[in-house]
Amino acid sequence: MDKENIKGAAQKVKGQIEEVAGKILGDKDLEIQGRADQVVGIVRDAVGTTKDAIKDAVKEAKKI
């Protein structure tokens, strides 16, 4: 698991908390920020997964 996967997961959780807090408090800006943080987290997680796949492919290519 790449560091980006971990950071992405944390960013998603942070975003979920912000979104819920925004809904509870009636703060649309906080709610929108929470959704944006969730998207950033999803992207970071995808980057980490891609990095892992590339590393694995390189390791396999070196075996040949």
Side-chain angles (χ1 to χ4, degrees):
M1 180 178 278
D2 190 79
K3 289 182 212 174
E4 290 300 320
N5 292 99
I6 297 166
K7 290 178 183 178
Q11 189 85 30
K12 285 189 282 188
V13 170
K14 177 185 173 215
Q16 290 169 340
I17 291 168
E18 288 175 336
E19 183 180 4
V20 170
K23 285 180 183 179
I24 291 170
L25 298 172
D27 185 342
K28 289 290 182 189
D29 290 335
L30 184 59
E31 188 177 340
I32 292 168
Q33 180 63 42
R35 288 183 188 156
D37 281 340
Q38 289 177 60
V39 171
V40 170
I42 291 167
V43 171
R44 284 185 112 164
D45 188 35
V47 167
T49 301
T50 303
K51 281 180 162 180
D52 284 342
I54 291 170
K55 286 176 188 176
D56 291 344
V58 169
K59 285 180 186 177
E60 288 298 316
K62 286 182 178 180
K63 290 181 181 179
I64 297 175

